[in-house]
Amino acid sequence: MDMELDKITNLPGHIIDKILSLLSIRDAVRMSVLSSKWRFKWVTLPFLMFDNQCISISSQDQTLVKNKLVNIVDHVLLLHTGPIHKFRLSHRDFLGGSDIDRWILYLSRTPIREFILEIWKGQHYKLPSCLYNCQSLIHLELFNSLLKPPPTFKGFMSLKSLDLQHIIMAQDAFENLISSCPLLERFTLMNFDGFTHLNIHAPNLQFFDTGGVFYDVNFKNTFLLATVSIGLYVDITNDKNLADGNSSNLLKFFAHLPRIQRLEIQSYFLKYLSAGDVPGKLPVPCIDLTHLSIRVNFSSVEENLTALCLLRSSPNLQELEMLARPEEQTHLETFTNLWKEEEHWNYSFAHLRVVKLTGISGVGPQLDFINFLLAYSPVLEKMTVKPASGDGAWELIKQLLRLRRASVRAEIIYLDP
């Protein structure tokens, strides 16, 4: 036993720091009993994380939980020495309030690099103005917050990663925040209020993931952007985001995305892209695009044309995912099936290896689309088909088996709904 304790005592300091950084603050404090070398090690930890694990009590009394958590955070910050590089507060029963204001004020006076604040209950927490003084921030993550930067705010000059979810922010404040983070590389934006136009000006942005209700999206100077995932949660194409005249949402969207490698079009965003004129191909092909995921209404002529344009503009596509989006009102009798028209079939998916089809019914244009892919994908290895329901499953399987395949290696896998 003494020999084992000696091994623990004689561990290098950076190894001890690494071990403690992987533990909750509660367990890190407990480790101080191992040896004298560990006793006060926790007070110098540069990474402080306060979550449900840091409180031992399980109570429905939120006042008791709050008081316990406040005492823990206050105690840790009071005794802490040295820099704090990361601070994370994420407790399921903790509401935003003046205590958090106090902690952020304390952190704003340290070289904080990562700040994560998740308020799971109650109203949006209004961030104090002192947060915007944290110029050492590299990663900022906020959940259920109200952002109102002061007029003196000039941006986060070192910020590389930004994650905003369930936030409220004014339109001009949002645009100013993004454009004044010159090093921003990753941006996640989910469920937001206060602004409806996603004007993204970020010269170093490489990753963008968003989902919510908005009227328009514009990229400017985003020539390094490689991964994009966009979900428009509500069908508002009949409201404000229709393209004007002969303009094209599709052309506007891709104008500043020359290096796109992975694109996910979710919910109703394809309908947004289909507004205005849709060309047969994009003026500049997406030569780096290897992964494409599209949620589409196969009963919509405009959406099918837009999907076809994207496919024909992606010569190096390797993985394709198509998710059928059922509509309440469809007019199949007026639908001209694009996937059967021979003039659209002068294209080969020379690099397409994997196809995933989800939510299909196997009738009409959906089956013709599957036939289209199989006929013009010479190196296809696997196609996975998952229908929307089990009705007519056996008939769908028989139809799939009848379709010809350009690739002798192509395997069709049927998944139960």
Side-chain angles (χ1 to χ4, degrees), residues 151-346:
T152 56
F153 176 64
K154 302 301 181 182
F156 293 116
M157 295 297 109
S158 303
L159 195 68
K160 292 185 177 181
S161 177
L162 179 61
D163 190 326
L164 303 177
Q165 301 191 41
H166 293 273
I167 58 116
I168 298 176
M169 199 173 189
Q171 181 72 51
D172 57 343
F174 167 74
E175 294 179 12
N176 181 61
L177 172 65
I178 304 307
S179 62
S180 58
C181 298
L183 301 183
L184 189 63
E185 297 176 356
R186 297 180 63 87
F187 183 25
T188 298
L189 177 66
M190 295 289 174
N191 299 302
F192 43 89
D193 285 309
F195 57 96
T196 56
H197 292 74
L198 305 185
N199 297 322
I200 310 297
H201 180 272
N204 282 294
L205 193 63
Q206 300 172 26
F207 173 94
F208 180 53
D209 183 12
T210 187
V213 179
F214 53 89
Y215 292 139
D216 200 15
V217 56
N218 288 288
F219 293 112
K220 183 179 180 182
N221 196 17
T222 54
F223 300 113
L224 298 181
L225 194 49
T227 300
V228 176
S229 177
I230 299 187
L232 178 57
Y233 292 163
V234 178
D235 179 10
I236 55 175
T237 52
N238 294 323
D239 194 354
K240 296 183 179 181
N241 70 331
L242 285 173
D244 296 327
N246 295 323
S247 63
S248 169
N249 282 349
L250 186 65
L251 294 179
K252 181 182 67 172
F253 179 77
F254 281 94
H256 289 255
L257 298 177
R259 297 188 181 180
I260 187 72
Q261 298 175 13
R262 184 183 182 95
L263 176 61
E264 297 180 2
I265 298 172
Q266 303 176 18
S267 303
Y268 290 95
F269 191 64
L270 186 67
K271 193 168 185 177
Y272 163 88
L273 292 177
S274 68
D277 290 342
V278 177
K281 278 186 180 182
L282 295 175
V284 179
C286 303
I287 59 175
D288 294 322
L289 187 62
T290 59
H291 178 98
L292 178 61
S293 176
I294 304 175
R295 185 170 288 277
V296 57
N297 173 18
F298 279 102
S299 301
S300 166
V301 176
E302 294 78 15
E303 291 191 36
N304 277 264
L305 279 171
T306 306
L308 180 61
C309 174
L310 291 177
L311 292 174
R312 297 180 68 184
S313 304
S314 308
N316 297 313
L317 193 64
Q318 297 179 16
E319 296 184 19
L320 173 65
E321 182 180 26
M322 299 291 286
L323 303 96
R325 190 187 74 242
E327 299 292 296
E328 293 182 0
Q329 297 179 355
T330 58
H331 304 282
L332 291 175
E333 66 277 5
T334 62
F335 181 78
T336 301
N337 194 352
L338 301 173
W339 310 110
K340 275 188 174 181
E341 297 179 11
E342 294 184 3
E343 60 265 30
H344 296 306
W345 287 37
N346 57 353

Side-chain angles (χ1 to χ4, degrees), residues 11 23 35 46 55 75 84 88 117 122 126 149 185 199 258 271 321 334 367 372 379 384 411:
L11 282 173
L23 302 176
S35 71
I55 298 181
H75 184 71
I84 299 176
R88 178 175 184 264
L117 178 62
K126 183 180 179 181
E185 297 176 356
N199 297 322
K271 193 168 185 177
E321 182 180 26
T334 62
L367 190 63
F372 169 68
V379 298
T384 302
E411 177 186 12

Side-chain angles (χ1 to χ4, degrees), residues 22-40:
L22 300 174
L23 302 176
S24 67
I25 191 67
R26 177 167 169 247
D27 290 334
V29 174
R30 284 178 168 182
M31 295 291 280
S32 63
V33 302
L34 291 177
S35 71
S36 58
K37 190 176 180 180
W38 289 64
R39 184 163 300 162
F40 298 107

Side-chain angles (χ1 to χ4, degrees), residues 42-92:
W42 67 271
V43 302
T44 64
L45 281 177
F47 307 106
L48 301 180
M49 289 169 279
F50 303 94
D51 51 25
N52 289 62
Q53 297 181 19
C54 71
I55 298 181
S56 58
I57 62 173
S58 57
S59 173
Q60 298 298 321
D61 187 344
Q62 291 194 357
T63 301
L64 180 62
V65 172
K66 175 193 172 183
N67 292 339
K68 182 71 173 178
L69 182 62
V70 169
N71 288 336
I72 291 175
V73 178
D74 283 343
H75 184 71
V76 170
L77 293 181
L78 177 65
L79 297 180
H80 193 275
T81 60
I84 299 176
H85 293 156
K86 179 178 180 178
F87 182 92
R88 178 175 184 264
L89 177 62
S90 177
H91 194 284
R92 293 281 177 175

